[in-house]
Amino acid sequence: DAKTTQPPSMDCAEGRAANLPCNHSTISGNEYVYWYRQIHSQGPQYIIHGLKNNETNEMASLIITEDRKSSTLILPHATLRDTAVYYCIVRVNNAGNNRKLIWGLGTSLAVNP
Amino acid sequence: NAGVTQTPKFQVLKTGQSMTLQCAQDMNHNSMYWYRQDPGMGLRLIYYSASEGTTDKGEVPNGYNVSRLNKREFSLRLESAAPSQTSVYFCASESREYQETQYFGPGTRLLVL
């Protein structure tokens, strides 16, 4: 699975959009981009994932560049409860027994009042 | 529907003691995982089980054993605890039906003295 690069920390004002970038320049054609977040000391929580099209759900939007070498997670109206560490991961789906996710250090997002 | 549950929540061990961390999921997922997370670091995979009756090593398996007791339960055993195993342990299960997203338990905080 390809590795990802994320900024170590970001700040965002409450109510504004939070845009979290992720670089995955070595991504393969069959690798998906997943985003998870971890709110202080809790287990990570799935947010969204995509292959090449932009995706949106009730939590966030995922924008993947046309060359798929980078992506951006967008929290449209950040709240204080969105303060967390956000992880960007790439992996192959339906990989049989090869299910080893590689978790980096993520981006620590602080949403400020 | 409790999702993924882990017991115990906290544990203090002395060096050389043994213990088993329990994990159970009620989502009928085939795959289950054990991770450890050390301060300031991302999650590292210890062992995983792609399906009932199978287990495979992850990134950091030394000092641990696992048992996939049935489809619901996946336990992690420390035979002779060492201070280097002080960590937070997370169990996860994975849904193949929803594009292989992982669902995490609340974690077990282990201190080895």
Side-chain angles (χ1 to χ4, degrees), chain A residues 35-39 43-48 59 103, chain B residues 102 104:
Chain A
W35 284 83
Y36 287 79
R37 72 180 183 184
Q38 187 174 25
I39 297 172
Q45 176 191 23
Y46 165 79
I47 302 173
I48 198 168
M59 289 183 69
W103 296 73
Chain B
Q102 293 197 354
F104 285 80

Side-chain angles (χ1 to χ4, degrees), chain B residues 15-26:
Chain B
T15 296
Q17 287 185 316
S18 62
M19 78 163 293
T20 298
L21 283 66
Q22 306 287 353
C23 174
Q25 53 94 6
D26 62 0

Side-chain angles (χ1 to χ4, degrees), chain B residues 7-40:
Chain B
T7 55
K9 287 186 170 55
F10 304 96
Q11 185 71 47
V12 179
L13 292 178
K14 294 181 180 178
T15 296
Q17 287 185 316
S18 62
M19 78 163 293
T20 298
L21 283 66
Q22 306 287 353
C23 174
Q25 53 94 6
D26 62 0
M27 296 175 283
N28 201 36
H29 290 167
N30 287 310
S31 301
M32 297 185 72
Y33 300 75
W34 275 106
Y35 293 92
R36 62 176 287 174
Q37 186 174 35
D38 300 308

Side-chain angles (χ1 to χ4, degrees), chain A residues 34 36 41 91 97 99, chain B residues 37 48 94 99 102 109:
Chain A
Y34 284 79
Y36 287 79
S41 299
R91 72 175 296 191
N97 286 331
R99 298 181 169 281
Chain B
Q37 186 174 35
Y48 67 102
E94 185 172 270
Q99 294 279 298
Q102 293 197 354
R109 284 148 185 80

Side-chain angles (χ1 to χ4, degrees), chain A residues 91-109:
Chain A
R91 72 175 296 191
V92 176
N93 278 351
N94 301 316
N97 286 331
N98 182 14
R99 298 181 169 281
K100 300 178 183 179
L101 287 177
I102 299 174
W103 296 73
L105 297 179
T107 295
S108 179
L109 175 68

Side-chain angles (χ1 to χ4, degrees), chain B residues 13-103:
Chain B
L13 292 178
K14 294 181 180 178
T15 296
Q17 287 185 316
S18 62
M19 78 163 293
T20 298
L21 283 66
Q22 306 287 353
C23 174
Q25 53 94 6
D26 62 0
M27 296 175 283
N28 201 36
H29 290 167
N30 287 310
S31 301
M32 297 185 72
Y33 300 75
W34 275 106
Y35 293 92
R36 62 176 287 174
Q37 186 174 35
D38 300 308
M41 297 184 67
L43 279 75
R44 291 186 292 170
L45 182 64
I46 305 172
Y47 271 93
Y48 67 102
S49 170
S51 60
E52 185 179 353
T54 68
T55 61
D56 285 283
K57 295 179 180 179
E59 183 184 356
V60 288
N62 291 345
Y64 305 95
N65 287 302
V66 290
S67 295
R68 184 73 183 268
L69 305 169
N70 47 54
K71 192 171 187 180
R72 290 188 64 250
E73 298 171 292
F74 189 37
S75 62
L76 179 72
R77 183 160 178 84
L78 287 69
E79 290 291 353
S80 179
S84 61
Q85 294 178 304
T86 292
S87 189
V88 180
Y89 292 85
F90 290 102
C91 175
S93 69
E94 185 172 270
S95 166
R96 290 186 193 173
E97 286 72 31
Y98 187 58
Q99 294 279 298
E100 304 190 349
T101 55
Q102 293 197 354
Y103 297 81

